[in-house]
Amino acid sequence: MTVAMCARLIFPANDRRDMLIIRKVSDIKIESNWRQLTDTAEITLPRNVLFFEENDLREVFKRGDSVEIKLGYDDVLITEFTGYISQVFANIPILIRCQNEMFKVKQIPVNYSHANVSL
């Protein structure tokens, strides 16, 4: 019996491109623990994908784009991570860092002032 590992990265459609589904990955690291409030994922993509040669990576992947990572065996895939792109490195190989919903919370500015405060 042979079991094949499968991965599917789904980048939903936005105003710059249509929905993009990638099945070829070099490496995926997902880090989730209770000490850090933010779950992170690091995706390494091979450069020899035809789509990347035809399109500018800076236009395809941008900070804030949503991403869904599904992993499994024999096309039985489970959603392991859902979040947003936080950084894109267009070197060879392509490296994409992602954060979960805390990415959107971190974008909200927080200002607090109080009239009667002493230090």
Side-chain angles (χ1 to χ4, degrees), residues 14-56:
N14 57 28
D15 56 347
R16 293 183 323 277
R17 60 168 164 74
D18 295 332
M19 182 169 76
L20 178 62
I21 298 175
I22 298 175
R23 291 185 174 88
K24 293 181 181 179
V25 295
S26 295
D27 188 27
I28 297 177
K29 296 176 187 171
I30 299 173
E31 190 172 322
S32 174
N33 61 38
W34 62 272
R35 291 181 188 203
Q36 296 177 340
L37 295 176
T38 305
D39 296 345
T40 60
E42 198 169 275
I43 304 166
T44 306
L45 300 174
R47 185 64 180 195
N48 59 356
V49 177
L50 183 63
F51 181 79
F52 298 148
E53 293 176 6
E54 296 173 353
N55 297 299
D56 183 20

Side-chain angles (χ1 to χ4, degrees), residues 25-93:
V25 295
S26 295
D27 188 27
I28 297 177
K29 296 176 187 171
I30 299 173
E31 190 172 322
S32 174
N33 61 38
W34 62 272
R35 291 181 188 203
Q36 296 177 340
L37 295 176
T38 305
D39 296 345
T40 60
E42 198 169 275
I43 304 166
T44 306
L45 300 174
R47 185 64 180 195
N48 59 356
V49 177
L50 183 63
F51 181 79
F52 298 148
E53 293 176 6
E54 296 173 353
N55 297 299
D56 183 20
L57 288 177
R58 291 182 181 95
E59 293 299 319
V60 176
F61 303 115
K62 285 207 175 196
R63 186 174 194 263
D65 288 351
S66 58
V67 61
E68 183 177 357
I69 300 173
K70 294 185 177 203
L71 302 172
Y73 296 95
D74 291 334
D75 286 332
V76 179
L77 300 173
I78 299 171
T79 302
E80 296 289 340
F81 183 86
T82 303
Y84 301 93
I85 296 175
S86 61
Q87 289 180 316
V88 178
F89 300 95
N91 301 335
I92 298 174

